[in-house]
Amino acid sequence: MSFGQGGPYGPGGSQPPQPSTPDWAALADQSAARNRRRKLLFIGGGALATAAVAAIVATAVVSSGHKDSGGGDSAGGLPTPQDLPSESATPEPTFSDVAPPAPPKPLDIISSARRDKAPLSAGSLFPDKRAAKDDRSYTKAASASTTSCSAATQGALGPVLVNNGCRKLLRATFTRDGVAVTVGVAVFDGKAAAEKAKDGYKPNIASLSGGGVTFCRRTACQSSANAIGRYAYFTISGYTSGKAVTSSDTATLQAGRDVADYTFRRILARGSAQASAEAAPAASATN
């Protein structure tokens, strides 16, 4: 077979394949386009990731702001200031600016007839069967009361009591080991009169016989005088045998002091009882 002039690759015939030259500009454009797409994908993915994290955090914040683990409102759910109560539901205690009155003093009560109003008799003033002092005990033998103060005295004591306004004279006799003591309590309207009667004392209170006891009749005896509040009280002590008392005698002196001390405590107890009765209503009013 012949192929004509120039052979199969000559002019006018089929050309053999030629090696192609790359289009460098197109390749560069394609590479740049791919780079831009990757960058956009990266930026877009980062933005989506950031948005997803933000959404999760926001959801957590909102959720924690509604309920705590115990089911109650958390700090984010506290009421606004205008919703808070303006005052406590429980009323606060109040205190008075007025000080409570001072409790009454027993001595003040027994110093004035206006306040010393409790019933008064020989039985109420000397209610005990015995008068005791330390380890010594005296048995009550008799008691009596009179509004004629001078009638229960001897010597110059009667006028002293009457002149100072004595209202009543109460007496009681106590005995121990052959020694007897009569105490006489003269009652006045106020403390000043009782003090004057004590200071003006002159013998003697009359001994009170009774219960088989007779003493200090036409014989020497011990005597004393004292006062508390509106009461002046006097003692006379001697032997039930009629023996005279000497200045050095200690038995009658001790007995007179013991019974006088018992009388003092009985008068003061009268004031204490009335002071307690006065204080009770005042204490109830302040509570």
Side-chain angles (χ1 to χ4, degrees), residues 141 173 175 178 180 207-217 219 238-242:
T173 296
T175 64
S207 63
L208 176 64
S209 299
V213 177
T214 301
F215 68 107
C216 293
R217 297 295 172 89
T219 187
Y239 291 101
T240 57
S241 64

Side-chain angles (χ1 to χ4, degrees), residues 56-198:
I56 292 171
V57 172
T59 301
V61 170
V62 171
S63 297
S64 64
H66 286 298
K67 297 291 181 179
D68 58 19
S69 60
D73 287 346
S74 67
L78 288 176
T80 58
Q82 61 268 28
D83 295 331
L84 293 174
S86 59
E87 60 184 18
S88 174
T90 303
E92 297 182 357
T94 57
F95 302 93
S96 173
D97 294 332
V98 180
K105 297 178 180 179
L107 187 57
D108 291 345
I109 292 177
I110 60 175
S111 294
S112 169
R114 181 179 58 83
R115 298 184 65 184
D116 185 19
K117 296 180 178 180
L120 180 61
S121 66
S124 65
L125 189 61
F126 304 110
D128 306 313
K129 293 181 178 181
R130 293 180 178 274
K133 175 65 184 296
D134 297 333
D135 58 347
R136 298 178 295 275
S137 179
Y138 300 81
T139 302
K140 185 169 69 173
S143 63
S145 175
T146 180
T147 56
S148 177
C149 297
S150 60
T153 66
Q154 55 187 2
L157 181 59
V160 172
L161 300 182
V162 172
N163 292 339
N164 284 288
C166 178
R167 299 293 186 181
K168 184 183 292 188
L169 186 61
L170 314 173
R171 289 183 296 166
T173 296
F174 298 88
T175 64
R176 178 177 182 265
D177 296 339
V179 175
V181 181
T182 290
V183 58
V185 179
V187 184
F188 299 87
D189 288 339
K191 180 179 179 179
E195 290 289 338
K196 288 181 65 176
K198 179 201 73 174

